Structure formats: C-alpha cells, structure tokens
C-alpha cells in the first residue's frame, strides 16, 4: 500500500476490518505500565484519562440542557484535599476570594463571605489565547462555591460587558441559581444572552439602582454609579458590622483637563460617611500616567469627522462601547446621514438600547445594508464590528472583498475607534493593509483622539483612592504586575503599610480578622484551575488535551499502521505511515525508510518470548522509539500514534 496516496479517513475506516479490533492508543497510561509518566525521546504524558482525576464536567447537548457529570467519590477525594484544608470561617471574620480576574484581563468574579452568607460580584469569562487552542471561553473556577451553594445568597453584576456577564449561563446552575441583582440595562443584556441557553433555568433577576440599599442575609448592600464605556455601570458597597467592603467594578472618571466633574465629586462625596474597611478596585490602566482621555473628547472628535468627511464613512469599534455607538447615531441624524449597522453583536446592542429608550432614532436613520446604494456615499455611515481584525467580522470581510454588499473604494474613510487588544497586533495590521490596498483613508487612535479606554489611569486611580480612603486594599482586574503597581498607588495615596495591602492570585483566600483590625492571605487556596468551554463540554479540560493541541500545531502528527501476527509477534507486512503537519512524505523517503526499520525492530523485540502479546506494552514502546528516532533526525516532536491490528 502506498502511504503517499492513502487518505487518513480511508485508512482509519479500514481498521474496522480484520480478525481483531485495533487497540487505539489514548492519553491514558496503561495499567501494565503505571510508571510511564514520561517517555524517553518524546514529550511527557501525565497519567489519567481526558476526564480523569475527579474533574467535574457539564456537557451541553444540542437541543438539550447542560447536564452535570461527576466522577466517583474516590476520584474526587484527591482533588478535595487542598480545599478541605481551608479552615472554617471564624464568626467575626470576613472572607474574600477572587475567583478570577486577578491574573489576567477577563473572567472577573469575586466572592465575599460573612457568617452563613456568600455574595458573588460578577461572573465573567475570558476568550481563548495561544495557550488554549480550540477552547471557546475560559470561566472562573467555582468549585469553592459549588460545594457551599446553600450559602450563596446573591450574585451582583456591576455592568454588562462580557468579562463580567459572559459566564452567567454556565456558572449560575452550578452555584444554585441565586437571585441576580443589577441595573436595568445590564439586566436586559443578561436576559438577551440567556436566550441562547433556552434549556437553562430562568434567572431570578432583580433590578437595583445606584442609591438603593438591599439586605442579603446578614449583609446590607448599597450601590454607587461609576463612569465606564457602557451606561448603568456601578460599584458595590457591602456593609458589615466592622466596616464596609467596596468593589468598584470597572471605572474611570469624567473630567475636564484632569479635574473631575461636579457629578463625579457628588457621587464620591458619599464615602465621607462610610467607614471603608476594604477597597477592591480596577487595575487595568494604572500603569498609564495622568488621566485618561475623557469619552466626551472622543465624541467631539468623532462628531467633527462625521461633519467634515468627504465620501462614505466606515466606523469600526467594539460593540460593547454603547455610549459611543449612541453618539454616532445621534451625530448622523444631526448631519442628515444614514447609518448601516453591520455585525451581530452590534445589532443586538443597538436593539437593546432602542428597547430601553436609550436610543430613539428617526424612522429612516437606520437603514439596512441592502439599501446602501439608494443614498449618495457622503450620506452613509457604516457602523461595524471587527476593529481587531477578527477573521469573520464585518470589517475583515470588507477588507478582503468578501462582503456581499459593501465594497471599499478610494472615496471611503475608515475610522478605527478602538485600541489594539494585546495579541491582535498582526490581525489589525492585516486589516489596515487590506483596506489601504483598496485605497481607503484610515484614521486610528495613534493619529487622533478617537478612542478612550474605560479604565482609570494612575492619577484618576489616586483621586478615587483619596475619596474612598480605605483601611485595607486589594487590587483586582489586571495582570499581576498591574496589581503590584496599584498596590504602590494605594500606599502612596492612603499611607497604607505593606501589611494593609494584599496582592491576590486567583483562588487566594483573603480574610479580615480580629474585628476588622487585621487582613491576611491564608496559605490555603480555593481551587483555581482553568475551567473551559470546549464545544458542548464545560469543565476542567485536562492539561494533556491542551498540550496535545499545542503539539499538533507545532510539530504535527505521525501515525503508524501495522499488522502483527498474534502468535509470533512478527509483522505481516511493512508498516504504513501517515503524517500531517510534520514533514512532506514525498520528500522524506529516507526518513520513512528508517522509521519503518525502527517500527519493525521495536515490535519484534517487544513481543519476543511474550505469550499472549500485551499490545499496550508494544504500542508504548513504539511511541518511545519512533519519537526518539524522529527527534534525532528532525529536531521535531510530532505526536506519534501507533495503531496495531492483530491477526
């Protein structure tokens, strides 16, 4: 059989024929070789199957609800050891656990525990990165809450961005589906997302506003308005007998040349009457000096571009920047222009704003993309998703000429009203190159003030710290270095000492003890391993699966097919080889010839004197020896999979 012309699916299909079913290798170490946690010449393979080790998973099936699948008690015992060592909460102590958002940007979630009550602030998710190939989303690890779900009294959502609401459909059923408190716009955005999960239990959503006070168990909770890039953003004040715990959510300040507005002064004035025990505050932009660009400055510049642009204007921005999108529609009406909204998430958010009365456009302001040629180009504004160069977003389809209705011309001006998210630099550059090749004029944040972050810079952060004036501080929402910088700001601004500032990791157990006089980070941690949404599966995807995906992307796969005589252990014919992403087989005949010799010798040496033949043992030896051979010849380590038929 010619290995060069054989297709992989045809080859695997042939495995169903033969005297015995093939023994196909998996990630699981065999019972006969329990010590093989690392293989010479190849990559290490930890023991345990894909869903082993007591991991708990939820599996979502098409047309059906997410179903929980739990390992046996024996399997779970090992995983519980770490969590079981967390001491019981003392009656006068307060426990805070950041379950996500303090080692990354995204998947923000924090639990506050007092006596028999747990209150959760935000349930976000994070998008995949280069370290998690094939993953859809990454969720906070909620195992600590799952095992204490009877104490979870409420979830409070600070605002409607996905890094704060994205995990709700996956997490809420796990923690007992407690009442969810948030402001009006955020509630509608949560409900809209929940429509994609029709089989999940209905959420018990309760609307609160910034000056309300509610009681949850033994806790009184208040809210305050904060400035962000989305309306109805709020901070949370949790009152306890020994002082208040303040969580800002994401925020910045509205200001004029570094002087906060009267509205900001008035909102933060309320903290004069608060005895703030602990502040948890957004750290995303604390490295940047001074004050951030006010959103109203961005609005003013965008209005000027809309007023003066010649030809068609295409504005690409984040669908989550609702205030900016609303202003763009407002300015379009002011200058008698039509708006085409392109992108599913952007259309959804525009519909939500119209439903809530935040946007009340004239009847003919918003037009469909099919109507675009009915108006002169200078009267058309296209509001689109894809400023980050997303492969299938509207902007990328326009740039690569695959959009059905919109073709870029030399008279077009493209306004990229967003900064570049780290990791997207090459995608954005490709987008700009493609647009430029078609003659479009591009305006972006590096040449004009057409974008502002929703997070406070260093001096804004210091102003907020002065107003809130906490006794203790714990930075949240950022990478570790950002948290460290934020901790230094707290020390400089509020005069806090080293033992009054806690820099957490995900799963850190922080306690305020001894009547509010002491804050400590326990040596024990709550479970903090990544929980991933992988297709229909939600759970702790084993590290071996992610590593195998990375290896496949880096060095490819090398599959060995061999037929072995079950009595003698001899090969019936020369083994067939299929490779994907490793080497081009037609130009690697010498390598393949050597590999076949290694395979033949390994099989016959491994089976010598063995009766009956242990095929798992033979396959493990093939993997070891072939991996070693390929690495010696190519300096690459493809995944080696031997498939053996016995007759």
């Amino acid at each position: 059989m010619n290995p060069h012309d054989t297709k992989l699916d045809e080859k695997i299909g042939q495995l169903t024929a033969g005297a015995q079913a093939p023994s196909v290798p998996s990630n699981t170490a065999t019972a006969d070789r329990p010590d093989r946690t690392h293989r010479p010449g190849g990559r290490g393979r930890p023991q345990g199957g894909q869903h082993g080790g007591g991991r708990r998973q939820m599996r979502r099936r098409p047309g059906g609800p997410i179903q929980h699948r739990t390992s046996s008690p024996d399997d779970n015992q090992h995983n519980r050891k770490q969590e079981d060592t967390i001491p019981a909460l003392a009656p006068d102590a307060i426990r805070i656990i950041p379950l996500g958002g303090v080692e990354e940007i995204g998947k923000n979630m924090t639990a506050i525990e007092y006596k028999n009550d747990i209150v959760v602030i935000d349930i976000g998710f994070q998008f995949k990165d280069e370290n998690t190939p094939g993953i859809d989303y990454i969720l906070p690890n909620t195992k600590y809450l799952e095992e204490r779900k009877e104490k979870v009294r409420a979830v409070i959502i600070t605002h409607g961005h996905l890094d704060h609401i994205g995990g709700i459909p996956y997490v809420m059923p796990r923690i007992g589906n407690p009442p969810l408190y948030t402001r009006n716009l955020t509630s509608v955005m949560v409900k809209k997302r929940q429509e994609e999960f029709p089989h999940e239990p209905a959420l018990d959503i309760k609307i609160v506003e910034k000056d309300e006070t509610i009681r949850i168990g033994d806790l009184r909770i208040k809210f305050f308005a904060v400035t962000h890039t989305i309306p109805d953003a709020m901070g949370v004040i949790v009152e306890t007998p020994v002082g208040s715990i303040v969580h800002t959510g994401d925020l910045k300040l509205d200001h004029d040349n570094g002087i906060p507005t009267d509205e900001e002064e008035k909102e933060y004035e309320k903290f004069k009457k608060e005895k703030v025990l602990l502040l948890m505050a957004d750290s995303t932009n604390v490295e940047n000096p001074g004050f951030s660009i006010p959103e109203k400055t961005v609005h003013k510049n965008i209005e000027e571009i809309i007023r003066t642009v010649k030809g068609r204007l295409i504005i690409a921005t984040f669908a989550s920047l609702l205030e900016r999108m609303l202003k763009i529609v407002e300015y379009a009406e002011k200058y008698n222009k039509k708006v085409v909204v392109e992108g599913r998430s952007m259309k959804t958010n525009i519909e939500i704003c119209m439903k809530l009365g935040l946007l009340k456009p004239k009847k003919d302001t918003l037009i469909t993309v099919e109507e675009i040629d009915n108006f002169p180009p200078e009267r058309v504004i296209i509001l689109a998703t894809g400023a980050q160069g997303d492969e299938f977003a509207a902007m990328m389809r326009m740039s690569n000429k695959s959009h059905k209705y919109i073709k870029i011309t030399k008279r077009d001006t493209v306004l990229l009203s967003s900064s570049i998210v780290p990791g997207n630099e090459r995608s954005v550059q490709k987008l700009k190159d493609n647009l430029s090749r078609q003659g479009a004029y591009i305006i972006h944040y590096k040449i004009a003030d057409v974008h502002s972050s929703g997070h406070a810079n260093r001096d804004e952060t210091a102003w907020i710290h002065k107003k809130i004036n906490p006794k203790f501080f714990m930075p949240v929402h950022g990478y570790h270095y950002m948290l460290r910088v934020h901790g230094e700001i707290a020390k400089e601004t509020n005069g806090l000492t080293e033992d009054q500032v806690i820099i957490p990791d995900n799963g850190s157990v922080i306690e305020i003890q001894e009547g509010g006089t002491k804050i400590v980070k326990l040596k024990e941690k709550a479970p903090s391993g990544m929980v991933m949404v992988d297709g229909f599966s939600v759970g702790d995807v084993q590290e071996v699966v992610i590593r195998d995906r990375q290896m496949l992307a880096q060095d490819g796969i090398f599959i060995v097919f061999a037929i072995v005589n079950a009595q003698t252990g001899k090969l019936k014919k020369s083994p067939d080889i299929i490779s994907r992403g490793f080497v081009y087989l037609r130009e690697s005949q010498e390598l393949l010839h050597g590999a076949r010799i290694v395979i033949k010798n390994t099989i016959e040496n491994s089976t010598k004197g063995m009766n009956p033949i242990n095929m798992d043992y033979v396959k493990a030896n093939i993997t070891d020896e072939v991996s070693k051979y390929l690495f010696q010849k190519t300096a690459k380590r493809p995944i080696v999979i031997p498939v053996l038929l016995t007759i």
Side-chain angles (χ1 to χ4, degrees):
M1 189 174 294
N2 188 337
H4 316 306
D5 300 327
T6 304
K7 293 183 179 178
L8 181 59
D9 53 354
E10 293 174 348
K11 202 67 164 138
I12 294 175
Q14 293 173 2
L15 296 179
T16 56
Q20 291 186 13
S23 181
V24 182
S26 68
N27 291 325
T28 308
T30 67
D32 301 287
R33 299 171 67 93
D35 58 329
R36 299 190 69 86
T37 56
H38 186 271
R39 292 168 177 167
R43 300 266 177 112
R45 295 286 193 275
Q47 291 174 303
Q50 180 176 343
H51 306 305
R55 258 68 170 185
R56 181 181 181 184
Q57 285 208 337
M58 296 192 301
R59 181 165 293 276
R60 180 176 177 81
R61 300 182 178 182
I66 293 177
Q67 297 182 354
H68 295 261
R69 187 172 69 228
T70 308
S71 303
S72 68
D74 291 340
D75 290 335
N76 281 331
Q77 186 175 0
H78 173 73
N79 277 348
R80 287 194 178 126
K81 284 182 180 178
Q82 183 185 37
E83 186 178 352
D84 286 344
T85 61
I86 298 176
L89 183 64
D92 63 341
I94 304 164
R95 179 173 289 171
I96 300 99
I97 303 178
L99 298 169
V102 294
E103 295 181 37
E104 66 269 311
I105 300 295
K107 68 180 178 75
N108 300 295
M109 187 175 185
T110 304
I112 300 172
E113 183 175 359
Y114 177 68
K115 292 186 177 179
N116 290 315
D117 302 323
I118 296 177
V119 174
V120 176
I121 299 177
D122 291 330
I123 307 178
F125 68 25
Q126 183 182 27
F127 290 101
K128 67 179 180 180
D129 57 26
E130 67 276 5
N131 296 319
T132 53
I135 296 301
D136 299 316
Y137 312 118
I138 305 171
L139 303 174
N141 191 313
T142 56
K143 188 173 178 61
Y144 181 90
L145 298 180
E146 291 172 48
E147 299 199 350
R148 296 162 176 81
K149 66 173 63 176
E150 72 283 353
K151 297 178 66 175
V152 180
R153 307 294 180 211
V155 170
I156 298 170
I157 302 298
T158 59
H159 65 281
H161 286 161
L162 286 174
D163 57 336
H164 295 258
I165 69 170
I168 289 175
Y170 306 102
V171 170
M172 287 293 274
R174 289 183 161 192
I175 63 174
N177 206 27
L180 187 152
Y181 294 83
T182 193
R183 297 181 76 179
N184 192 29
L185 171 62
T186 310
S187 74
V188 176
M189 300 185 77
V190 169
K191 290 175 184 176
K192 189 70 176 177
R193 177 164 171 73
Q194 204 70 13
E195 291 176 4
E196 300 176 18
F197 301 82
H199 298 284
E200 293 307 301
L203 297 176
D204 180 12
I205 298 179
K206 301 180 185 298
I207 308 299
V208 294
E209 287 305 330
K210 66 172 186 172
D211 294 321
E212 283 191 46
T213 300
I214 62 175
R215 179 167 287 280
I216 297 175
D218 288 329
L219 300 169
R220 274 168 40 98
I221 298 180
K222 300 185 293 188
F223 310 96
F224 62 102
V226 299
T227 300
H228 194 39
T229 55
I230 187 171
D232 278 5
M234 68 177 185
V236 181
I237 303 171
V238 180
E239 293 186 347
T240 77
V242 293
S244 297
I245 298 172
V246 177
H247 193 300
T248 65
D250 286 350
L251 82 169
K252 62 185 292 188
L253 291 175
D254 188 16
H255 63 91
D256 294 305
N257 296 319
I259 301 174
T261 62
D262 292 342
E263 290 78 8
E264 297 283 19
E265 290 277 4
K266 182 180 178 181
E267 194 65 29
Y268 285 91
E269 195 72 20
K270 63 183 62 175
F271 288 103
K272 280 188 174 181
K273 300 177 182 179
E274 288 286 341
K275 178 187 174 184
V276 179
L277 183 63
L278 172 69
L279 170 64
M280 292 180 277
D282 176 19
S283 308
T284 307
N285 273 358
V286 294
E287 298 174 78
N288 299 339
F291 279 69
S292 62
I293 299 171
E295 186 67 17
K296 58 191 174 189
T297 300
V298 175
H299 295 167
K300 181 180 177 181
N301 292 336
I302 290 177
E303 179 182 8
E304 185 64 13
I305 291 170
I306 290 174
R307 185 183 71 83
T308 59
V309 71
K310 300 293 191 292
R312 187 170 59 181
L313 176 61
I314 302 170
I315 304 176
T317 190
F318 298 113
S320 59
L321 300 178
L322 293 189
E323 290 186 0
R324 195 173 304 173
M325 289 160 52
L326 298 179
K327 283 294 183 181
I328 290 169
V329 176
E330 177 187 323
Y331 298 146
E333 285 191 338
K334 181 176 179 180
Y335 297 106
N336 194 28
K337 299 193 177 189
K338 308 299 179 184
V339 179
V340 176
V341 181
E342 274 294 279
R344 179 173 173 266
S345 56
M346 195 165 280
K347 288 178 180 178
T348 296
N349 288 347
I350 289 288
E351 289 172 6
I352 289 172
C353 291
M354 292 174 66
K355 180 179 179 181
L356 293 176
L358 297 172
L359 177 64
K360 299 177 181 178
K362 296 176 183 176
K363 185 178 180 181
D364 58 348
T365 298
L366 299 177
I367 63 173
T368 65
V369 68
E370 291 87 353
E371 300 175 276
I372 198 168
D373 291 332
N374 297 340
F375 301 91
E378 59 271 14
R379 288 191 58 203
V380 173
I381 297 174
I382 299 170
L383 185 55
T385 57
Q388 298 301 305
D390 315 77
E391 184 179 0
F392 300 109
M395 280 307 306
M396 186 58 81
R397 285 186 283 122
M398 292 180 214
S399 75
N400 61 24
K401 303 181 181 180
S402 64
H403 197 288
K404 185 176 180 181
Y405 296 100
I406 302 173
K407 307 300 178 187
I408 301 297
T409 71
K410 293 182 179 180
R411 295 192 61 199
D412 290 334
T413 297
V414 176
L415 170 59
L416 300 177
S417 183
S418 65
S419 58
I420 301 175
V421 174
N424 291 344
E425 292 84 0
R426 295 194 67 179
S427 297
V428 174
Q429 189 60 51
K430 180 181 177 182
L431 174 69
K432 290 160 69 176
D433 287 348
N434 288 347
L435 293 169
S436 294
R437 287 182 187 279
Q438 298 175 64
Y441 175 64
I442 300 173
I443 303 172
H444 55 85
Y445 77 104
K446 288 188 176 181
I447 62 175
D449 288 339
V450 292
H451 176 68
S452 173
S453 171
H455 307 273
N457 282 10
R458 185 183 183 94
D459 288 356
E460 288 169 272
T461 300
W463 187 92
I464 292 167
H465 274 260
K466 287 179 182 177
K467 290 294 183 180
I468 297 178
N469 193 28
K471 182 175 183 178
F472 302 117
F473 175 62
M474 185 177 83
V476 292
H477 301 181
Y479 294 103
H480 184 83
Y481 175 69
M482 298 174 183
L483 306 187
R484 287 283 176 191
V485 172
H486 201 170
E488 294 303 316
I489 293 173
K491 294 174 188 176
E492 295 170 10
T493 305
N494 300 114
L496 301 183
T497 59
E498 191 74 30
D499 59 355
Q500 291 175 301
V501 176
I502 296 291
I503 308 298
D505 294 320
N506 290 333
S508 291
V509 180
I510 316 299
E511 286 192 358
I512 300 174
Q513 303 172 344
E514 300 176 9
T517 62
K518 177 182 177 184
I519 187 168
V520 297
K521 178 164 66 173
L522 304 187
K523 66 179 184 299
E524 299 84 3
K525 287 186 67 175
S528 58
M530 286 194 295
V531 177
M532 306 181 200
V533 181
D534 186 14
F536 293 134
S537 176
V538 181
D540 297 343
V541 177
Q542 281 276 19
E543 181 184 348
V544 65
V545 177
I546 300 300
R547 188 171 64 248
D548 281 353
R549 290 179 184 176
Q550 292 171 335
M551 290 171 64
L552 284 168
Q554 293 167 4
D555 294 331
I557 188 170
F558 193 86
I559 304 176
V560 174
F561 295 91
I563 301 174
V564 181
N565 187 307
Q567 277 70 45
T568 66
K570 302 292 185 181
L571 279 175
K572 296 291 291 184
K573 55 174 288 187
S574 179
D576 290 327
I577 293 171
I578 291 177
S579 174
R580 293 290 185 272
F582 171 51
V583 294
Y584 185 47
L585 295 185
R586 290 185 184 276
E587 297 178 357
S588 307
Q589 293 302 306
E590 185 177 343
L591 177 71
L592 293 181
H593 178 70
R596 287 190 173 91
I597 293 173
V598 171
I599 295 164
K600 180 179 184 297
N601 291 340
T602 302
I603 291 175
E604 295 186 351
N605 290 337
S606 299
T607 59
K608 190 173 182 180
M610 184 182 291
N611 190 13
I613 295 173
N614 185 333
M615 297 308 295
D616 288 330
Y617 175 79
V618 177
K619 286 186 298 180
N621 282 346
I622 293 173
T623 301
D624 288 349
E625 296 304 319
V626 173
S627 296
K628 187 189 302 182
Y629 169 78
L630 295 178
F631 182 71
Q632 290 170 346
K633 295 296 183 181
T634 68
K636 294 181 179 294
R637 291 190 176 98
I639 293 180
V640 175
I641 299 181
V643 180
L644 304 183
L645 282 169
T646 57
I647 60 173

